[in-house]
Amino acid sequence: MNGVSGRMGYRQHLVRSILAIRDAGGVALSDGRRVQVKPILVGRHEDKLREIAARHDIADWTTSLDAALADPQWDVYADFLVTEARVPAITKAIAAGKAVYTEKPTAENFEDALELARLAKEAGVKNGVVHDKLYLPGLRKLKRLIDDGFFGRILSVRGEFGYWVFPGDGVPAQRPSWNYRAEDGGGIVLDMFPHWNYVLENLFGRVETVYAQTATHLPTRWDERGQAYTATADDAAYAIFGLAGGVIAEFNSSWDVRVNRDELLELQVDGTEGSAVAGLFGCKVQHRSATPRPTWNPDVPDGHDYAADWHEVPITQEFENGFKVQWEEFLRHVAEDAPNRYDFLAGARGVLLAEKGLESAATGARVELPEVTV
Ligand SMILES: NC(=O)c1ccc[n+]([C@@H]2O[C@H](COP(=O)([O-])OP(=O)(O)OC[C@H]3O[C@@H](n4cnc5c(N)ncnc54)[C@H](O)[C@@H]3O)[C@@H](O)[C@H]2O)c1
């Protein structure tokens, strides 16, 4: 596990996923056997690794990625590094014949992302990319509505994502400063469009076109040491995606908005038979039969309570941490060849959407996305 001192590596992948799986006695396979996990922590700072290992009763850690990759007792390489450090590390892991599981984006550009998919295929190593948003309770409820045919014909999707990330003078910023420097692999398009790509292609249809406008609304931010720096990366993106089948999806992504929503991510889906608003946890619906009939009249204040016309989809199953559920699926893929749709090629499609989104923002044109093969 490379990068466990980071935000995602520590909390979601080590503590909430691998250690939770270890504490549960491993992952159950289809024949009832269990496969246990035994992590080795890899990183650059001995003191941090030793401290995390001691805190969680982990026997193995090393500052040498090469040594860990050369050791046949480790089957899976997992990568939670800053994006810019990912490609060289994964390339080595593929060459060492390890199965590879990684955070998104798999690379900073499409060419590198596709090359990783090609290398993994040639080497015959199993590969997976985090698709965590698909495992959120709100999006799983939404998926069930789609599969049940609740919407009739889906017309449009509107995604609102974002919150106020403090610039860092006074109140500390909630996100690492590299996210706001293009030269360090930052930018909201490279960060979020890979998520939007897999959400859209798995729920509504392949993304065929993108039109995007980006901005760096806050040109100065303050880093972890309190030093002012120039924000060189986009911190907001306003995009329209054209999907196979005709659905139009519009997404606002911003680290410079104050939240006036129920959740930090919300997707509104409108269809001929009904509509839904899904967040991370909740999902509310309005059926065609219960749709009010608004009339436009600027002379009279509108007393109708539109929020009251929506009904919360009840919870009918237990939702576990999504990172853990996807880790379990990947480990089953490694151990017993269970299906795995979220591979490096899927990761490369996400990077392609980010790249084409940035191209659209730079040129002002709507850009088409080709279908991608290894
Ligand atoms: N799936 C999600 O929802 C989600 C959310 C946030 C971030 N991410 C992705 O996870 C990755 C990590 O993001 P984070 O927010 O945890 O970042 P972070 O800065 O908190 O952690 C990055 C880790 O990489 C290590 N690192 C930094 N520079 C390095 C270098 N040059 N060589 C080797 N190691 C280096 C750090 O020591 C740390 O362990 C990014 O690729 C990001 O896009 C995914």
Side-chain angles (χ1 to χ4, degrees):
M1 301 186 78
N2 197 5
V4 281
S5 65
R7 240 168 28 119
M8 300 309 293
Y10 181 71
R11 180 88 196 131
Q12 298 303 335
H13 293 283
L14 182 64
V15 176
R16 301 283 281 140
S17 297
I18 294 300
L19 295 182
I21 291 170
R22 184 183 74 174
D23 292 348
V27 176
L29 301 182
S30 56
D31 62 2
R33 286 179 305 142
R34 293 187 89 84
V35 168
Q36 183 53 295
V37 289
K38 180 184 175 214
I40 174 170
L41 312 183
V42 183
R44 296 170 302 168
H45 305 292
E46 209 176 307
D47 50 338
K48 284 189 194 167
L49 296 174
R50 188 183 293 115
E51 196 271 312
I52 296 173
R55 193 187 318 153
H56 295 290
D57 196 19
I58 296 167
D60 300 281
W61 56 267
T62 178
T63 54
S64 171
L65 174 61
D66 292 340
L69 292 176
D71 186 340
Q73 74 167 301
W74 309 111
D75 299 307
V76 179
Y77 169 74
D79 192 301
F80 328 111
L81 299 179
V82 285
T83 308
E84 64 163 359
R86 181 159 296 134
V87 169
I90 291 183
T91 304
K92 279 189 189 179
I94 293 172
K98 307 291 180 192
V100 182
Y101 188 65
T102 182
E103 263 296 348
K104 44 52 65 183
T106 52
E108 288 180 283
N109 61 67
F110 174 64
E111 193 185 340
D112 287 353
L114 191 63
E115 177 68 3
L116 286 183
R118 194 183 61 74
L119 288 173
K121 188 177 179 192
E122 271 177 19
V125 302
K126 291 182 168 157
N127 51 92
V129 181
V130 168
H131 277 47
D132 57 289
K133 306 292 176 268
L134 290 177
Y135 296 80
L136 290 167
L139 268 72
R140 291 182 65 182
K141 293 175 193 167
L142 178 60
K143 173 81 167 92
R144 208 180 66 219
L145 292 172
I146 294 168
D147 293 346
D148 282 351
F150 169 80
F151 294 103
R153 183 165 63 84
I154 295 177
L155 309 170
S156 64
V157 181
R158 202 174 72 238
E160 280 290 340
F161 165 79
Y163 47 97
W164 186 259
V165 176
F166 281 88
D169 57 337
V171 179
Q174 311 93 300
R175 295 173 53 78
S177 59
W178 65 264
N179 285 282
Y180 302 92
R181 291 188 295 265
E183 62 277 23
D184 292 339
I188 202 164
V189 170
L190 185 58
D191 190 21
M192 297 315 298
F193 280 29
H195 287 299
W196 305 153
N197 188 69
Y198 69 69
V199 166
L200 290 170
E201 73 178 13
N202 283 287
L203 295 182
F204 306 106
R206 187 181 87 80
V207 181
E208 292 182 330
T209 62
V210 55
Y211 169 78
Q213 247 179 273
T214 58
T216 305
H217 287 306
L218 298 192
T220 305
R221 288 180 179 266
W222 283 258
D223 68 14
E224 290 74 7
R225 293 166 300 129
Q227 300 285 318
Y229 65 95
T230 302
T232 46
D234 43 283
D235 59 11
Y238 309 89
I240 298 175
F241 306 112
L243 309 187
V247 176
I248 296 167
E250 182 191 356
F251 272 66
N252 290 327
S253 317
S254 176
W255 288 315
D256 315 301
V257 285
R258 296 186 175 86
V259 177
N260 182 9
R261 274 170 260 133
D262 289 340
E263 305 203 47
L264 301 190
L265 168 64
E266 278 187 356
L267 297 181
Q268 172 156 346
V269 181
D270 288 292
T272 51
E273 300 298 305
S275 297
V277 178
L280 281 68
F281 293 93
C283 181
K284 52 197 179 188
V285 292
Q286 185 175 111
H287 190 252
R288 157 190 157 146
S289 58
T291 303
R293 188 171 173 278
T295 44
W296 180 262
N297 185 350
D299 297 323
V300 183
D302 190 345
H304 187 85
D305 182 359
Y306 291 100
D309 296 326
W310 296 81
H311 298 280
E312 198 63 39
V313 175
I315 294 172
T316 51
Q317 67 183 102
E318 199 187 316
F319 296 108
E320 279 204 273
N321 177 289
F323 287 88
K324 173 170 178 264
V325 176
Q326 201 189 341
W327 256 111
E328 289 174 336
E329 287 177 7
F330 185 71
L331 292 170
R332 279 187 208 106
H333 175 58
V334 172
E336 61 174 355
D337 218 14
N340 167 46
R341 281 181 300 150
Y342 308 141
D343 60 6
F344 279 7
L345 195 58
R349 291 196 295 273
V351 177
L352 180 67
L353 183 60
E355 193 163 297
K356 295 293 183 188
L358 290 172
E359 181 185 325
S360 169
T363 59
R366 187 172 68 162
V367 177
E368 294 200 3
L369 282 87
E371 289 207 46
V372 173
T373 51
V374 174

